[in-house]
Amino acid sequence: MGRSMQVLGVVLVLVLSETWGLGNKTQHLSRDGKMFSLFSIVQFPNQVCTSASSSTTYGTCYTSSECTTKSGTADGNCAAGFGVCCVISTSTCASTISTNTTYIQNPGYPSSYTPTATGSCVFTVSKVSDDICQLRLDFQTMSGLATSTTVGMCTDSFAAAGQTGKNPPTICGTNTGYHMYTEFGATSTDTIKLTLTYGSTTTAKTFNY
């Protein structure tokens, strides 16, 4: 995925001035302040990092202010303490995701979720950089998507679709520990739609991917 470089500048400014007296008269001589700037430049890539709270939760190394801007949570340090491991997650339907290692979770995760009505929840994933061609989804947790009494059919379902028409199959049931790839199109503005369809309002569902 695309990486950008972060630059942190730490500036130390020293201003020197002098005042002295002469005889019975106090004479203030104004001298131009002398300014010395000491820059400490730190550069680090936005690499994947492991959170401090869990060895199976990953984030992206950002500055603290960038993590806040991206609505993430700082969970540990990275880049020798100059960055934070920023964990980003969403459970809001119709969200657009444009940051690597973002988690999509059920409302109230890690508790399970039982919808009060049937319907669909769609998330849109944008490319992080123009040269991206695939999206990998890792199902750290996915269970409770109800299957149908008809073999091969789903009551609840998850589907991923890009612009190429070469999409993975729709899935349901338990898929914890599995992963899937979905193709973007060749255009930089192409997206992938992730659709959760709820057909059951009695089965508790848990997902984090």
Side-chain angles (χ1 to χ4, degrees), residues 13 19 35 41 58 104 110-111 141 163 178-179 200:
V13 179
T19 302
M35 182 175 293
I41 304 300
Y58 303 99
I104 297 175
S111 298
T141 302
Q163 267 79 43
Y178 290 93
H179 66 267
S200 170

Side-chain angles (χ1 to χ4, degrees), residues 1 134-138 177-182 184 192:
M1 303 295 271
Q134 288 183 324
L135 170 69
R136 172 168 167 150
L137 298 168
D138 290 284
Y178 290 93
H179 66 267
M180 70 165 54
Y181 289 94
T182 307
F184 284 101
I192 289 176

Side-chain angles (χ1 to χ4, degrees), residues 2-208:
R3 298 174 178 170
S4 61
M5 302 296 293
Q6 304 306 315
V7 179
L8 296 179
V10 180
V11 183
L12 176 62
V13 179
L14 301 178
V15 179
L16 302 180
S17 61
E18 295 182 359
T19 302
W20 65 91
L22 181 60
N24 295 326
K25 297 181 180 180
T26 301
Q27 188 175 32
H28 296 281
L29 300 180
S30 175
R31 304 182 63 186
D32 292 336
K34 296 181 180 179
M35 182 175 293
F36 301 91
S37 298
L38 177 62
F39 291 90
S40 178
I41 304 300
V42 179
Q43 297 179 327
F44 60 87
N46 299 137
Q47 294 180 330
V48 175
C49 53
T50 303
S51 71
S53 62
S54 172
S55 61
T56 60
T57 299
Y58 303 99
T60 302
C61 193
Y62 287 118
T63 64
S64 179
S65 59
E66 276 192 317
C67 185
T68 300
T69 299
K70 295 178 180 292
S71 300
T73 300
D75 193 347
N77 296 322
C78 55
F82 290 100
V84 296
C85 191
C86 186
V87 178
I88 301 172
S89 63
T90 183
S91 59
T92 305
C93 295
S95 294
T96 296
I97 298 165
S98 56
T99 305
N100 197 18
T101 64
T102 297
Y103 288 92
I104 297 175
Q105 302 173 335
N106 63 270
Y109 183 85
S111 298
S112 60
Y113 168 70
T114 303
T116 57
T118 60
S120 296
C121 183
V122 180
F123 299 89
T124 301
V125 182
S126 301
K127 291 185 177 184
V128 176
S129 61
D130 293 350
D131 59 349
I132 298 298
C133 58
Q134 288 183 324
L135 170 69
R136 172 168 167 150
L137 298 168
D138 290 284
F139 302 116
Q140 288 197 353
T141 302
M142 179 173 275
S143 62
L145 296 185
T147 57
S148 172
T149 54
T150 303
V151 176
M153 300 297 289
C154 298
T155 302
D156 300 318
S157 64
F158 172 83
Q163 267 79 43
T164 66
K166 299 177 181 179
N167 301 315
T170 298
I171 60 174
C172 56
T174 299
N175 294 278
T176 299
Y178 290 93
H179 66 267
M180 70 165 54
Y181 289 94
T182 307
E183 292 186 357
F184 284 101
T187 305
S188 62
T189 56
D190 284 346
T191 60
I192 289 176
K193 301 287 186 182
L194 307 178
T195 304
L196 281 158
T197 301
Y198 302 128
S200 170
T201 57
T202 58
T203 304
K205 311 160 208 319
T206 307
F207 53 86
N208 179 42

